[in-house]
Amino acid sequence: MAEEKKRTRRANGESAIYYGKDDRWHARVPMGYKDDGTPYRRHLTRPTRKELVDEVRKLEKQRDEGSAQQPGKPWTVEKWLLHWVENIAKPVISENTYDGYEVAVRVHLVPGLGKHRIDRLEPEHLESLYRRMQKSGSKAGTAHQAHRTIRTALGEAARRGHVAKNAAALAKPPRMEEAEDEVEPYSLEEVQSLLIEVNRRRNSARWMLALALGLRQGETLGLRWSDVDLDSEYLKLRRNRLRPRYEHGCQEASPCGRKAGHCPDKVQVRRETKNTKSRAGRRAVPLPGPLVAMLRSHAEVQARERKAAGNLWVESDYVFTKRLGGPLSPNTDYHDWKRLLEDARVRDGRLHDARHTAATVLMLLGVPARVIDQIMGWEPGTSARMRARYLHVPDAMLKDVARKIAEAIWGTPGTPAVDKNQDNGG
């Protein structure tokens, strides 16, 4: 039977199929609306009606699933990433997360992949970028940050119908090697050496909150006196101190010529603190007696500093401040930590290693895992992974286990039991 060539009327929203004067079959498939609100239809043509119907059904399925390409000029990787990071991601994520995304986009993803169309990007393009990054000296962790960034960005593009697949979800990032000696918590002897030096310094309680309770830097610097209950011996963690960001305050006609952070008239453009985003991060932490005493003494010293500074004092409720009040800078705090290690003659380490130290001490004291999770602020779904990362088993504990095994199996610590009836003839 000859193919039906008559144009038929369709209901609104349905595809129109007809035979054209060029002796080919044509279809107009409704795909939604353009940015200006006008209807958008995709035009298809095939030599036979059957071929055309198959293509129409395939396109309609993509449209209904939200995976069909939308009207307008296709997005390039550069255009989409810049749009995504500034207009989609930035309003709903934290400043620190935005900083990580922005650096990955600007430094690595746009220069390495920017000219590709996002709907033609393949996993192999990404894997090639990660290899090039490592060959040029980037660490695997940097490549992982770039991978996480573009995976999130393309995930949003897929949800909006700009791409049919997320190429980054299929790509394999470089393997992260877990170095055994990358993190070595401080021993109790080293903590005690630090304690001796800490007692000679201003803001001494700040460092013991890190070493004894594992508070993160942002949590400690964002702590306010209203969060501390010294009578009940606990504190509440509810916010994090953010790294300051500045813009030039000097006049364009006479620029200072320095970086924004060193401009004499610099303007702070980032809020000082943000609320802790996770429920586990908002927690109550018990204070050991000696820390309570340190904080009481610290409050008295701060009151004397306020009185001595007079009108120069910058009033705030922060527990740890500069000498004239106002919140401490995370950068200044980091350098103070390095000087503390040097003055105490304790090996160099990251400030975050103090958090590993506190978690390990809690384990050695036999504190239940659930309590450790609350003190450290770990989410229930990730707490097992975090314990595996932060709790370090000291050599002394391993030797104690070996001694107990020797007692259980051989009967005498370190001495194997000898069978008197054993044939010694070889």
Side-chain angles (χ1 to χ4, degrees):
M1 180 182 293
E3 292 181 302
E4 176 60 52
K5 300 180 181 180
K6 180 181 177 182
R7 182 193 292 259
T8 57
R9 291 183 64 84
R10 304 280 177 174
N12 287 339
E14 291 187 10
S15 301
I17 299 176
Y18 59 92
Y19 191 76
K21 295 180 180 180
D22 57 356
D23 295 328
R24 291 176 64 85
W25 284 89
H26 297 257
R28 302 283 178 174
V29 183
M31 299 299 294
Y33 297 89
K34 299 179 182 179
D35 290 342
D36 61 2
T38 57
Y40 167 63
R41 296 179 179 84
R42 187 83 60 82
H43 176 231
L44 299 177
T45 179
R46 294 292 184 275
T48 69
R49 191 177 193 281
K50 182 180 184 306
E51 289 178 282
L52 183 63
V53 169
D54 290 343
E55 288 299 314
V56 168
R57 288 175 177 169
K58 186 185 301 183
L59 186 58
E60 288 176 337
K61 182 180 179 182
Q62 292 176 353
R63 176 199 64 195
D64 296 341
E65 293 175 346
S67 61
Q69 182 179 328
Q70 295 302 303
K73 188 175 181 180
W75 290 93
T76 63
V77 171
E78 177 178 9
K79 182 180 176 183
W80 173 251
L81 287 179
L82 294 177
H83 170 75
W84 167 80
V85 76
E86 292 297 330
N87 301 302
I88 300 175
K90 188 176 182 179
V92 296
I93 59 178
S94 71
E95 288 90 336
N96 290 343
T97 302
Y98 167 78
D99 287 346
Y101 284 164
E102 192 276 332
V103 169
V105 167
R106 173 173 48 83
V107 177
H108 302 293
L109 295 171
V110 167
L113 298 167
K115 303 305 179 185
H116 287 282
R117 280 175 43 170
I118 61 172
D119 58 336
R120 295 180 181 175
L121 191 66
E122 298 294 336
E124 291 77 15
H125 295 142
L126 294 162
E127 291 160 351
S128 175
L129 170 66
Y130 304 150
R131 289 193 296 270
R132 296 197 307 272
M133 288 175 63
Q134 288 189 284
K135 285 182 180 179
S136 65
S138 294
K139 296 181 179 179
T142 305
H144 265 263
Q145 172 66 12
H147 174 72
R148 289 191 296 271
T149 300
I150 195 166
R151 184 178 62 193
T152 305
L154 292 180
E156 187 62 38
R159 282 189 290 274
R160 296 179 181 223
H162 300 312
V163 293
K165 67 178 181 181
N166 184 342
L170 303 173
K172 301 294 184 185
R175 181 178 177 181
M176 293 281 286
E177 296 290 344
E178 293 285 348
E180 291 285 339
D181 58 349
E182 185 177 355
V183 176
E184 183 181 352
Y186 291 106
S187 66
L188 289 177
E189 291 78 10
E190 289 172 317
V191 172
Q192 289 164 355
S193 296
L194 288 168
L195 177 59
I196 294 173
E197 182 60 35
V198 155
N199 286 328
R200 302 170 181 164
R201 309 174 89 87
R202 185 175 177 273
N203 287 333
S204 58
R206 181 265 172 273
W207 305 114
M208 295 316 298
L209 285 174
L211 289 163
L213 297 176
L215 268 61
R216 301 175 179 93
Q217 183 191 43
E219 293 172 338
T220 308
L221 300 190
L223 193 64
R224 300 176 188 265
W225 284 114
S226 57
D227 302 323
V228 181
D229 188 336
L230 295 179
D231 293 330
S232 299
E233 299 187 345
Y234 76 93
L235 55 83
K236 291 181 179 179
L237 298 173
R238 295 183 285 196
R239 62 185 64 84
N240 285 309
R241 172 81 166 101
L242 295 174
R243 188 175 296 277
R245 174 173 285 179
Y246 302 101
E247 288 184 356
H248 283 281
C250 51
Q251 300 296 323
E252 293 184 7
S254 56
C256 65
R258 304 176 184 178
K259 291 184 177 180
H262 298 283
C263 174
D265 301 312
K266 64 185 177 184
V267 178
Q268 166 74 283
V269 294
R270 174 179 281 178
R271 54 183 172 159
E272 289 180 353
T273 62
K274 70 178 182 69
N275 291 335
T276 304
K277 62 181 180 180
S278 69
R279 181 176 298 179
R282 296 187 294 273
R283 62 197 190 277
V285 176
L287 289 171
L291 250 178
V292 172
M294 291 182 77
L295 285 168
R296 289 190 189 278
S297 175
H298 174 70
E300 294 172 0
V301 171
Q302 190 177 86
R304 290 197 295 270
E305 289 179 340
R306 181 187 291 107
K307 184 177 180 180
N311 293 334
L312 296 177
W313 181 263
V314 178
E315 194 60 53
S316 70
D317 189 38
Y318 288 108
V319 174
F320 303 108
T321 67
K322 304 173 186 176
R323 291 189 179 276
L324 293 177
L328 286 173
S329 163
N331 186 54
T332 301
D333 182 70
Y334 166 80
H335 290 294
D336 286 345
W337 165 255
K338 291 296 186 179
R339 283 192 292 271
L340 171 62
L341 294 177
E342 183 178 352
D343 292 346
R345 297 183 179 180
V346 171
R347 60 186 167 84
D348 189 29
R350 306 173 308 166
L351 178 53
H352 202 67
D353 290 350
R355 184 164 165 79
H356 286 257
T357 300
T360 301
V361 170
L362 291 172
M363 176 190 67
L364 292 174
L365 294 175
V367 176
R370 185 174 179 180
V371 178
I372 293 178
D373 294 345
Q374 177 173 333
I375 292 175
M376 300 299 291
W378 291 332
E379 290 280 1
T382 63
S383 57
R385 178 171 57 84
M386 298 305 288
R387 283 197 297 271
R389 179 179 175 185
Y390 277 82
L391 304 186
H392 305 267
V393 182
D395 290 343
M397 180 179 284
L398 293 175
K399 290 179 180 178
D400 184 57
V401 171
R403 179 184 59 78
K404 292 179 179 178
I405 292 174
E407 288 181 357
I409 296 178
W410 287 281
T412 304
T415 304
V418 178
D419 186 351
K420 298 180 179 179
N421 299 320
Q422 181 178 351
D423 184 3
N424 295 321

